[in-house]
Amino acid sequence: MFFIVAVLQEYQPPSVLILNVGGAKLRVKRSALTHVDDSKLAWMFSGRWDHVLPRNHSGRKFLDLDVKWFSPITDFLSKLSSGAAADEVRLPVSQLSDDDKLGVQACAEMFGLCHILARELNLRPLLVQQALANLAQHVASVAHLGQESKRVVGWSAPWQLLYQSSVHGATAQEFHRLCDCKPHTICLAIDNEGNMFGGYTSVAWTSSDGWQADPAAFLFYEGRGSAALQCYSQKGTSPEHSIRHHSSLWPTFGGGHDLRFKSSSAGTITYSSSSKTYHTMPINGTSGTVIDLFVWQVPQTGGSAPAATDADDTVLNQPACRLSYTSDSTPPVAFRADLSSLTGPATALSFRFGLWLKEQLDMYAIELRAVKHRTELFASEKTFMQQLIAAMSPDDVNGRKRAWLEKVRTHNCTHSTGGTDPPATPSPLKGVHHGIVYITCWGTGQLCTMRETFTQLGDETPLAKKYASDVWAANIESAALDEDGCVIEDHNAECFQKLVNVMRLRAMVRRPDFSSTVGSSKPAPMPAHLARAMASMLEYLMIDSEQFFGTLDSPVA
């Protein structure tokens, strides 16, 4: 164990990687793969898992994907990591086939990049689903903002849901019927882009017409690409315009209006945002459609906490403590204090100490939440990596890890400069290496995929019995190999590539953490000139054509 830790501490992850992606060589910067913090792709290539990632016979990291799915994503991330603005970068998917577009979308889901690629892949419905699924997390984030606002209300107590547009009806009348005369409310909206935003007010909504001041009110926003929820307080320029009341209005904040909801002719809720009373939100000057609107009441446990400046004034305005003493020839000296003059300063100092203590406890609570968040992220990261290498036997994983660590140790001892992977001597190929099968059809290059991929169409198919069988792997010498050591498959190259890609997609959508709508998609039919060859190949391999071209997540006998 000490040897492993010591070697990993010495290891400097290379900045440029040469990957084997489904049999094709792809060169990419590590900074591009790790550009999106806490994405699954960044986890994989952070350098923490270089010793267990699947590698081909040349020592290159292996991804069981079609390179046409993965290279558009790496191109996109490379431009972002080089400083290009997100609005200026485009994902080159328009020229891809329908199946390859599905592959790109499946990769975006598997690697945790949906929020970055949503516009390019038209993933808005999925983003909305994810935003609604994370509602509890959004609520907890808003509660944290409320605690920071110094309002002594029950942010940690259960909130009472007063109104939900998708349940109670998208009308302002229904909002007022359920929410009027109830103070301390949170309004939270999710739009059709997956953004979450809203506002808090301590005063009760009413149906009367007019503005009302509320120093405690604030707005908040968390975009689909945001790292955390942000709070937007009032500027102080128009304090009388904190919120707006009217029987025909939804929750309205600010004199701009800084955040306004209203009904549309289509029977939905829309929003608009400007900047006047509150500090500017990222949605300033925009409008959109609200998928769902929530209003909660936060239980009140007390009034407003006195501001820190009030405590300072209290101390300054108190009379000085008057101490006097008398002495005679006999000690001890007796001190007399006017205790009434000490009461005010003591109370003020006690209050200031309480504020200081609360600030310290809040700071420790924030640090504790950050540690908990990092712990949860690492647990998710570990689970993801375990799923990634699950197709390989433990002996294979441990053997590769020991061999790789030994190469790192030797490489570090003989090279003073870090930043490169230890060179690997290519192993002679005999059809399979570390669970990766190397296949070629007539007239094409290599196609590489994991042995377990061939089980996606059933364990009893000839392909599964051939490639996923330990008997076959142990007797690979009897297979037909070309001079490079690849297994020869006597099929049309395009048809066989289609077959492998459909099995790859099935493997991806069946992962426990996969929730994309890709699974309900159907593989595209073959072009007319290849339809007959595809049908013949499926028949020869005992694969049901109707099941093959059915939805990707459909069960296969």
Side-chain angles (χ1 to χ4, degrees), residues 120-188:
E120 306 297 325
L121 298 174
N122 193 26
L123 298 179
R124 292 177 183 175
L126 174 61
L127 292 175
V128 172
Q129 292 174 17
Q130 291 176 337
L132 290 171
N134 295 332
L135 186 60
Q137 180 180 345
H138 295 324
V139 168
S141 298
V142 177
H144 179 61
L145 290 182
Q147 291 170 346
E148 291 181 339
S149 72
K150 310 301 182 185
R151 295 292 301 179
V152 188
V153 294
W155 295 101
S156 59
W159 296 5
Q160 180 184 359
L161 180 63
L162 301 178
Y163 172 77
Q164 182 179 353
S165 61
S166 63
V167 175
H168 300 107
T171 65
Q173 291 74 20
E174 196 66 11
F175 156 70
H176 283 287
R177 184 182 72 83
L178 296 171
C179 302
D180 277 2
C181 303
K182 295 180 180 178
H184 302 287
T185 55
I186 284 286
C187 169
L188 185 151

Side-chain angles (χ1 to χ4, degrees), residues 425-480:
T425 302
S427 303
L429 260 183
K430 290 188 177 180
V432 63
H433 181 82
H434 288 331
I436 304 170
V437 183
Y438 295 74
I439 299 173
T440 185
C441 295
W442 298 114
T444 66
Q446 291 181 6
L447 184 156
C448 302
T449 189
M450 301 301 296
R451 292 173 57 200
E452 292 298 317
T453 301
F454 292 101
T455 64
Q456 296 303 314
L457 294 174
D459 295 334
E460 298 302 316
T461 61
L463 283 176
K465 290 181 177 180
K466 179 177 181 179
Y467 291 115
S469 167
D470 290 333
V471 175
W472 173 82
N475 298 283
I476 188 64
E477 291 82 0
S478 61

Side-chain angles (χ1 to χ4, degrees), residues 274-454:
S274 61
S275 180
K276 182 177 180 181
T277 305
Y278 296 82
H279 290 283
T280 306
M281 292 196 295
I283 55 175
N284 178 53
T286 67
S287 60
T289 301
V290 172
I291 299 300
D292 217 344
L293 179 67
F294 303 83
V295 179
W296 286 277
Q297 184 176 33
V298 184
Q300 185 178 8
T301 60
S304 302
T309 53
D310 296 337
D312 295 338
D313 293 342
T314 302
V315 175
L316 293 175
N317 293 334
Q318 290 294 333
C321 176
R322 296 187 295 276
L323 294 176
S324 60
Y325 69 93
T326 59
S327 177
D328 53 22
S329 59
T330 305
V333 177
F335 286 90
R336 300 197 316 273
D338 186 348
L339 296 181
S340 62
S341 65
L342 287 173
T343 303
T347 301
L349 289 173
S350 175
F351 177 73
R352 294 181 66 187
F353 175 75
L355 286 179
W356 174 83
L357 182 61
K358 183 179 183 304
E359 289 175 357
Q360 298 301 308
L361 292 175
D362 288 346
M363 181 176 64
Y364 293 142
I366 292 172
E367 293 178 355
L368 183 62
R369 283 195 293 269
V371 170
K372 182 180 179 182
H373 179 64
R374 288 195 297 270
T375 302
E376 291 172 347
L377 278 179
F378 184 74
S380 300
E381 179 177 336
K382 183 178 179 181
T383 300
F384 173 74
M385 295 305 301
Q386 287 173 336
Q387 293 172 353
L388 189 70
I389 62 176
M392 293 172 285
S393 67
D395 292 340
D396 185 33
V397 173
N398 293 332
R400 284 189 301 104
K401 179 163 57 176
R402 285 192 296 270
W404 184 85
L405 291 171
E406 180 59 34
K407 288 177 182 176
V408 171
R409 186 187 67 80
T410 305
H411 185 59
N412 288 344
C413 290
T414 57
H415 295 78
S416 58
T417 58
T420 59
D421 256 337
T425 302
S427 303
L429 260 183
K430 290 188 177 180
V432 63
H433 181 82
H434 288 331
I436 304 170
V437 183
Y438 295 74
I439 299 173
T440 185
C441 295
W442 298 114
T444 66
Q446 291 181 6
L447 184 156
C448 302
T449 189
M450 301 301 296
R451 292 173 57 200
E452 292 298 317
T453 301
F454 292 101

